[in-house]
mmCIF file of all heavy atoms in Angstrom:
data_model
loop_
_atom_site.group_PDB
_atom_site.id
_atom_site.type_symbol
_atom_site.label_atom_id
_atom_site.label_comp_id
_atom_site.label_asym_id
_atom_site.label_seq_id
_atom_site.Cartn_x
_atom_site.Cartn_y
_atom_site.Cartn_z
ATOM 1 N N LEU G 1245 0.827 -1.209 0.000
ATOM 2 C CA LEU G 1245 0.000 0.000 0.000
ATOM 3 C C LEU G 1245 0.860 1.257 0.000
ATOM 4 O O LEU G 1245 0.528 2.245 -0.669
ATOM 5 C CB LEU G 1245 -0.929 0.006 1.213
ATOM 6 C CG LEU G 1245 -1.982 -1.108 1.281
ATOM 7 C CD1 LEU G 1245 -2.887 -0.885 2.489
ATOM 8 C CD2 LEU G 1245 -2.810 -1.178 0.001
ATOM 9 N N HIS G 1246 1.963 1.229 0.741
ATOM 10 C CA HIS G 1246 2.847 2.399 0.803
ATOM 11 C C HIS G 1246 3.436 2.707 -0.564
ATOM 12 O O HIS G 1246 3.457 3.865 -1.007
ATOM 13 C CB HIS G 1246 3.963 2.144 1.822
ATOM 14 C CG HIS G 1246 4.901 3.289 1.997
ATOM 15 N ND1 HIS G 1246 6.058 3.425 1.248
ATOM 16 C CD2 HIS G 1246 4.857 4.374 2.827
ATOM 17 C CE1 HIS G 1246 6.682 4.529 1.615
ATOM 18 N NE2 HIS G 1246 5.979 5.123 2.567
ATOM 19 N N ALA G 1247 3.899 1.670 -1.260
ATOM 20 C CA ALA G 1247 4.466 1.870 -2.600
ATOM 21 C C ALA G 1247 3.414 2.404 -3.557
ATOM 22 O O ALA G 1247 3.700 3.271 -4.394
ATOM 23 C CB ALA G 1247 5.051 0.562 -3.127
ATOM 24 N N GLY G 1248 2.206 1.887 -3.455
ATOM 25 C CA GLY G 1248 1.140 2.372 -4.324
ATOM 26 C C GLY G 1248 0.894 3.857 -4.149
ATOM 27 O O GLY G 1248 0.769 4.608 -5.131
ATOM 28 N N ALA G 1249 0.841 4.295 -2.886
ATOM 29 C CA ALA G 1249 0.528 5.696 -2.599
ATOM 30 C C ALA G 1249 1.683 6.635 -2.928
ATOM 31 O O ALA G 1249 1.464 7.753 -3.425
ATOM 32 C CB ALA G 1249 0.138 5.841 -1.128
ATOM 33 N N THR G 1250 2.920 6.207 -2.667
ATOM 34 C CA THR G 1250 4.062 7.107 -2.810
ATOM 35 C C THR G 1250 4.734 7.038 -4.176
ATOM 36 O O THR G 1250 5.372 8.011 -4.594
ATOM 37 C CB THR G 1250 5.122 6.806 -1.731
ATOM 38 O OG1 THR G 1250 5.560 5.442 -1.852
ATOM 39 C CG2 THR G 1250 4.539 7.026 -0.334
ATOM 40 N N GLU G 1251 4.607 5.905 -4.869
ATOM 41 C CA GLU G 1251 5.331 5.736 -6.130
ATOM 42 C C GLU G 1251 4.434 5.672 -7.359
ATOM 43 O O GLU G 1251 4.906 5.905 -8.478
ATOM 44 C CB GLU G 1251 6.185 4.449 -6.069
ATOM 45 C CG GLU G 1251 7.216 4.452 -4.954
ATOM 46 C CD GLU G 1251 7.953 3.132 -4.828
ATOM 47 O OE1 GLU G 1251 7.887 2.333 -5.798
ATOM 48 O OE2 GLU G 1251 8.556 2.886 -3.778
ATOM 49 N N HIS G 1252 3.156 5.339 -7.169
ATOM 50 C CA HIS G 1252 2.297 5.098 -8.330
ATOM 51 C C HIS G 1252 0.982 5.880 -8.290
ATOM 52 O O HIS G 1252 0.126 5.659 -9.147
ATOM 53 C CB HIS G 1252 1.995 3.597 -8.450
ATOM 54 C CG HIS G 1252 3.220 2.744 -8.536
ATOM 55 N ND1 HIS G 1252 3.979 2.649 -9.685
ATOM 56 C CD2 HIS G 1252 3.842 1.974 -7.600
ATOM 57 C CE1 HIS G 1252 5.010 1.839 -9.465
ATOM 58 N NE2 HIS G 1252 4.943 1.419 -8.215
ATOM 59 N N ASP G 1253 0.835 6.768 -7.316
ATOM 60 C CA ASP G 1253 -0.379 7.575 -7.201
ATOM 61 C C ASP G 1253 -1.630 6.690 -7.148
ATOM 62 O O ASP G 1253 -2.637 6.982 -7.789
ATOM 63 C CB ASP G 1253 -0.473 8.566 -8.360
ATOM 64 C CG ASP G 1253 -1.511 9.669 -8.105
ATOM 65 O OD1 ASP G 1253 -1.774 9.980 -6.927
ATOM 66 O OD2 ASP G 1253 -2.062 10.203 -9.082
ATOM 67 N N GLU G 1254 -1.536 5.605 -6.378
ATOM 68 C CA GLU G 1254 -2.635 4.657 -6.241
ATOM 69 C C GLU G 1254 -3.066 4.591 -4.778
ATOM 70 O O GLU G 1254 -2.258 4.262 -3.907
ATOM 71 C CB GLU G 1254 -2.219 3.269 -6.744
ATOM 72 C CG GLU G 1254 -1.937 3.245 -8.236
ATOM 73 C CD GLU G 1254 -1.501 1.864 -8.734
ATOM 74 O OE1 GLU G 1254 -1.241 0.988 -7.901
ATOM 75 O OE2 GLU G 1254 -1.432 1.700 -9.966
ATOM 76 N N ARG G 1255 -4.321 4.877 -4.538
ATOM 77 C CA ARG G 1255 -4.847 4.855 -3.166
ATOM 78 C C ARG G 1255 -5.105 3.415 -2.722
ATOM 79 O O ARG G 1255 -5.385 2.532 -3.544
ATOM 80 C CB ARG G 1255 -6.131 5.676 -3.065
ATOM 81 C CG ARG G 1255 -5.952 7.138 -3.434
ATOM 82 C CD ARG G 1255 -7.291 7.846 -3.398
ATOM 83 N NE ARG G 1255 -7.750 8.046 -2.024
ATOM 84 C CZ ARG G 1255 -9.030 8.285 -1.681
ATOM 85 N NH1 ARG G 1255 -9.964 8.284 -2.629
ATOM 86 N NH2 ARG G 1255 -9.363 8.476 -0.427
ATOM 87 N N GLY G 1256 -5.011 3.186 -1.412
ATOM 88 C CA GLY G 1256 -5.154 1.831 -0.900
ATOM 89 C C GLY G 1256 -6.031 1.751 0.334
ATOM 90 O O GLY G 1256 -6.244 2.741 1.038
ATOM 91 N N VAL G 1257 -6.524 0.536 0.594
ATOM 92 C CA VAL G 1257 -7.353 0.251 1.766
ATOM 93 C C VAL G 1257 -6.735 -0.917 2.518
ATOM 94 O O VAL G 1257 -6.402 -1.950 1.914
ATOM 95 C CB VAL G 1257 -8.802 -0.122 1.365
ATOM 96 C CG1 VAL G 1257 -9.654 -0.384 2.608
ATOM 97 C CG2 VAL G 1257 -9.419 0.967 0.504
ATOM 98 N N TYR G 1258 -6.571 -0.758 3.831
ATOM 99 C CA TYR G 1258 -6.096 -1.842 4.680
ATOM 100 C C TYR G 1258 -7.258 -2.256 5.580
ATOM 101 O O TYR G 1258 -7.729 -1.470 6.395
ATOM 102 C CB TYR G 1258 -4.906 -1.373 5.526
ATOM 103 C CG TYR G 1258 -4.087 -2.504 6.116
ATOM 104 C CD1 TYR G 1258 -2.776 -2.741 5.697
ATOM 105 C CD2 TYR G 1258 -4.616 -3.337 7.099
ATOM 106 C CE1 TYR G 1258 -2.022 -3.781 6.221
ATOM 107 C CE2 TYR G 1258 -3.871 -4.381 7.629
ATOM 108 C CZ TYR G 1258 -2.574 -4.588 7.196
ATOM 109 O OH TYR G 1258 -1.832 -5.622 7.718
ATOM 110 N N VAL G 1259 -7.735 -3.494 5.423
ATOM 111 C CA VAL G 1259 -8.825 -4.032 6.228
ATOM 112 C C VAL G 1259 -8.229 -5.033 7.206
ATOM 113 O O VAL G 1259 -7.675 -6.055 6.792
ATOM 114 C CB VAL G 1259 -9.892 -4.726 5.349
ATOM 115 C CG1 VAL G 1259 -11.052 -5.211 6.209
ATOM 116 C CG2 VAL G 1259 -10.392 -3.787 4.259
ATOM 117 N N SER G 1260 -8.328 -4.743 8.493
ATOM 118 C CA SER G 1260 -7.730 -5.623 9.495
ATOM 119 C C SER G 1260 -8.780 -6.126 10.475
ATOM 120 O O SER G 1260 -9.512 -5.332 11.072
ATOM 121 C CB SER G 1260 -6.623 -4.893 10.266
ATOM 122 O OG SER G 1260 -6.106 -5.736 11.278
ATOM 123 N N PHE G 1261 -8.822 -7.438 10.629
ATOM 124 C CA PHE G 1261 -9.666 -8.063 11.643
ATOM 125 C C PHE G 1261 -8.866 -8.359 12.911
ATOM 126 O O PHE G 1261 -9.418 -8.899 13.864
ATOM 127 C CB PHE G 1261 -10.250 -9.373 11.105
ATOM 128 C CG PHE G 1261 -11.288 -9.189 10.037
ATOM 129 C CD1 PHE G 1261 -10.938 -9.259 8.701
ATOM 130 C CD2 PHE G 1261 -12.614 -8.944 10.358
ATOM 131 C CE1 PHE G 1261 -11.890 -9.098 7.706
ATOM 132 C CE2 PHE G 1261 -13.571 -8.778 9.372
ATOM 133 C CZ PHE G 1261 -13.210 -8.855 8.044
ATOM 134 N N GLU G 1262 -7.574 -8.013 12.922
ATOM 135 C CA GLU G 1262 -6.713 -8.429 14.028
ATOM 136 C C GLU G 1262 -6.018 -7.277 14.737
ATOM 137 O O GLU G 1262 -5.586 -7.441 15.883
ATOM 138 C CB GLU G 1262 -5.665 -9.420 13.512
ATOM 139 C CG GLU G 1262 -6.278 -10.676 12.888
ATOM 140 C CD GLU G 1262 -5.242 -11.721 12.545
ATOM 141 O OE1 GLU G 1262 -4.046 -11.463 12.763
ATOM 142 O OE2 GLU G 1262 -5.626 -12.812 12.082
ATOM 143 N N GLU G 1263 -5.865 -6.133 14.092
ATOM 144 C CA GLU G 1263 -5.098 -5.024 14.666
ATOM 145 C C GLU G 1263 -5.901 -3.740 14.659
ATOM 146 O O GLU G 1263 -6.816 -3.553 13.851
ATOM 147 C CB GLU G 1263 -3.811 -4.800 13.864
ATOM 148 C CG GLU G 1263 -2.899 -6.016 13.746
ATOM 149 C CD GLU G 1263 -2.146 -6.320 15.022
ATOM 150 O OE1 GLU G 1263 -2.177 -5.485 15.946
ATOM 151 O OE2 GLU G 1263 -1.523 -7.391 15.093
ATOM 152 N N ASN G 1264 -5.547 -2.836 15.581
ATOM 153 C CA ASN G 1264 -6.066 -1.479 15.550
ATOM 154 C C ASN G 1264 -5.244 -0.654 14.565
ATOM 155 O O ASN G 1264 -4.108 -1.010 14.226
ATOM 156 C CB ASN G 1264 -5.993 -0.837 16.939
ATOM 157 C CG ASN G 1264 -6.936 -1.497 17.923
ATOM 158 O OD1 ASN G 1264 -8.029 -1.939 17.562
ATOM 159 N ND2 ASN G 1264 -6.524 -1.565 19.179
ATOM 160 N N ALA G 1265 -5.787 0.467 14.134
ATOM 161 C CA ALA G 1265 -5.088 1.325 13.176
ATOM 162 C C ALA G 1265 -3.727 1.766 13.719
ATOM 163 O O ALA G 1265 -2.739 1.809 12.977
ATOM 164 C CB ALA G 1265 -5.951 2.544 12.851
ATOM 165 N N SER G 1266 -3.670 2.056 15.008
ATOM 166 C CA SER G 1266 -2.401 2.500 15.598
ATOM 167 C C SER G 1266 -1.339 1.400 15.532
ATOM 168 O O SER G 1266 -0.150 1.684 15.319
ATOM 169 C CB SER G 1266 -2.615 2.927 17.056
ATOM 170 O OG SER G 1266 -3.143 1.864 17.825
ATOM 171 N N ASP G 1267 -1.743 0.145 15.679
ATOM 172 C CA ASP G 1267 -0.802 -0.975 15.577
ATOM 173 C C ASP G 1267 -0.224 -1.076 14.167
ATOM 174 O O ASP G 1267 0.976 -1.338 13.989
ATOM 175 C CB ASP G 1267 -1.496 -2.291 15.931
ATOM 176 C CG ASP G 1267 -2.006 -2.330 17.356
ATOM 177 O OD1 ASP G 1267 -1.333 -1.773 18.237
ATOM 178 O OD2 ASP G 1267 -3.081 -2.907 17.580
ATOM 179 N N ILE G 1268 -1.079 -0.875 13.175
ATOM 180 C CA ILE G 1268 -0.635 -0.958 11.782
ATOM 181 C C ILE G 1268 0.336 0.177 11.466
ATOM 182 O O ILE G 1268 1.379 -0.031 10.833
ATOM 183 C CB ILE G 1268 -1.854 -0.919 10.844
ATOM 184 C CG1 ILE G 1268 -2.745 -2.144 11.089
ATOM 185 C CG2 ILE G 1268 -1.419 -0.851 9.373
ATOM 186 C CD1 ILE G 1268 -4.135 -2.033 10.506
ATOM 187 N N GLU G 1269 0.024 1.364 11.936
ATOM 188 C CA GLU G 1269 0.895 2.512 11.692
ATOM 189 C C GLU G 1269 2.236 2.339 12.410
ATOM 190 O O GLU G 1269 3.285 2.712 11.876
ATOM 191 C CB GLU G 1269 0.196 3.789 12.128
ATOM 192 C CG GLU G 1269 -1.007 4.127 11.252
ATOM 193 C CD GLU G 1269 -1.759 5.360 11.717
ATOM 194 O OE1 GLU G 1269 -1.145 6.224 12.372
ATOM 195 O OE2 GLU G 1269 -2.970 5.469 11.432
ATOM 196 N N GLU G 1270 2.226 1.767 13.602
ATOM 197 C CA GLU G 1270 3.471 1.510 14.326
ATOM 198 C C GLU G 1270 4.309 0.455 13.605
ATOM 199 O O GLU G 1270 5.540 0.558 13.555
ATOM 200 C CB GLU G 1270 3.163 1.061 15.752
ATOM 201 C CG GLU G 1270 2.662 2.185 16.650
ATOM 202 C CD GLU G 1270 2.184 1.680 18.001
ATOM 203 O OE1 GLU G 1270 2.395 0.487 18.304
ATOM 204 O OE2 GLU G 1270 1.602 2.483 18.761
ATOM 205 N N ALA G 1271 3.658 -0.570 13.054
ATOM 206 C CA ALA G 1271 4.380 -1.595 12.296
ATOM 207 C C ALA G 1271 5.042 -0.976 11.069
ATOM 208 O O ALA G 1271 6.181 -1.320 10.713
ATOM 209 C CB ALA G 1271 3.432 -2.716 11.891
#
């Protein structure tokens, strides 16, 4: 998702059933 947004002007969605948003951002 990071490469899509920063290198290809492609927006992304992260759907997590296991982590909070803050956990994903920390990772």
Side-chain angles (χ1 to χ4, degrees):
L1245 296 185
H1246 182 269
T1250 59
E1251 300 175 17
H1252 304 284
D1253 195 27
E1254 295 179 350
R1255 300 176 73 200
V1257 181
Y1258 198 113
V1259 183
S1260 177
F1261 290 96
E1262 301 187 358
E1263 303 285 350
N1264 293 326
S1266 59
D1267 298 324
I1268 297 164
E1269 292 177 26
E1270 287 172 9

